[in-house]
Amino acid sequence: MPRYDYVLFDADNTLFDFDRAEAEALRATLAEYGLPATPETEETYLAVNRALWAQFDRGEVSREWLVVERFARLLRALGRSGDPAAVNHAYLTHLGEGAFLLPGAEELCRALAPCCTLAIVTNGVAMAQRARFEASPLRDVVPWLFISEEVGASKPDPAFFAPVLRALGEPDRARVLMVGDNLLTDIQGGKNAGLDTAWFNPRRLPGDPAVVPTWEADGFPALRALILGGGSRTNASTQIT
């Protein structure tokens, strides 16, 4: 018997290789608009984008404003004029083409699917997330995709998880696991919803004593062993390697 019957996966950098998709989409967008596709430009964009998404995760800015503002700031940094909304639309179109999975992600989901109900829960932009999901082999394995933009609330707000769990039939929350790489949105979000959590941490980043996951896993084999291993839960973070 598996330890959990329902597994909620974050999308980016948990199942999908977002870093690769982001890099390829940015380069294609820069080329499309005649902007310098240099390492310096990419670093500027990444710094701006990450800072704005951190603000979003803390509930300080809206997604709609963020996605346009990041390119407005990039254009200003490059000393260029242009329509940042149009640049963002082109970027999201290219991002939706980047359905790259992390090595081992598909195998994990196929191993879990016969005995667990799987869902992807993401704060990413719906236009890109749906396109990437539909173009990936996970569409045949994972029956549920919940996007905060469509749900009407974002992780870590419990208001995001409430309709997700309702759609899944209000399962026993002790049998639901939230898996993700982000301590705030995924792990704190899962805790806020009363779920066990697994911090996917293949880079072995230092943790945060303020956000303690139920489990910490350094890769997909560890997650598979954790979910299918049976047994009881822990009261504190347990590292699975």
Side-chain angles (χ1 to χ4, degrees), residues 85-170:
V87 179
N88 176 66
H89 189 274
Y91 169 77
L92 290 177
T93 299
H94 291 303
L95 186 63
E97 298 163 355
F100 312 117
L101 296 177
L102 291 171
E106 180 183 356
E107 291 78 4
L108 172 67
C109 291
R110 291 194 182 280
L112 298 180
C115 51
C116 303
T117 298
L118 306 182
I120 292 174
V121 292
T122 174
N123 281 350
V125 180
M127 173 182 169
Q129 298 298 68
R130 286 218 164 266
R132 294 166 70 213
F133 177 74
E134 291 298 327
S136 82
L138 294 187
R139 62 171 295 180
D140 301 322
V141 186
V142 180
W144 297 94
L145 172 63
F146 298 97
I147 303 174
S148 60
E149 192 176 346
E150 299 171 348
V151 171
S154 301
K155 300 178 291 180
D157 191 336
F160 171 85
F161 290 92
V164 169
L165 295 170
R166 189 161 53 246
L168 295 177
E170 296 289 1

Side-chain angles (χ1 to χ4, degrees), residues 24-111:
E24 294 196 10
L26 180 61
R27 289 176 195 134
T29 303
L30 294 172
E32 185 174 335
Y33 279 86
L35 299 171
T38 64
E40 292 75 19
T41 300
E42 292 183 24
E43 279 303 312
T44 298
Y45 171 80
L46 291 175
V48 167
N49 191 52
R50 288 168 183 166
L52 288 172
W53 276 105
Q55 286 185 271
F56 174 82
D57 291 343
R58 296 192 297 266
E60 298 172 358
V61 301
S62 72
R63 181 188 294 101
E64 294 75 17
W65 177 83
L66 178 165
V67 294
V68 176
E69 178 64 16
R70 59 187 176 181
F71 286 105
R73 294 186 184 185
L74 179 63
L75 289 170
R76 287 198 297 271
L78 295 174
R80 300 293 187 90
S81 61
D83 180 359
V87 179
N88 176 66
H89 189 274
Y91 169 77
L92 290 177
T93 299
H94 291 303
L95 186 63
E97 298 163 355
F100 312 117
L101 296 177
L102 291 171
E106 180 183 356
E107 291 78 4
L108 172 67
C109 291
R110 291 194 182 280

Side-chain angles (χ1 to χ4, degrees), residues 179-224:
V179 181
D181 68 303
N182 188 298
L183 283 172
L184 174 58
T185 57
D186 301 323
I187 304 309
Q188 188 60 55
K191 289 165 68 72
N192 290 346
L195 309 178
D196 280 7
T197 58
W199 183 28
F200 182 62
N201 186 22
R203 300 178 185 177
R204 296 179 178 268
L205 299 172
D208 181 346
V211 186
V212 180
T214 313
W215 308 93
E216 179 179 343
D218 68 353
F220 292 132
L223 280 175
R224 177 174 177 167

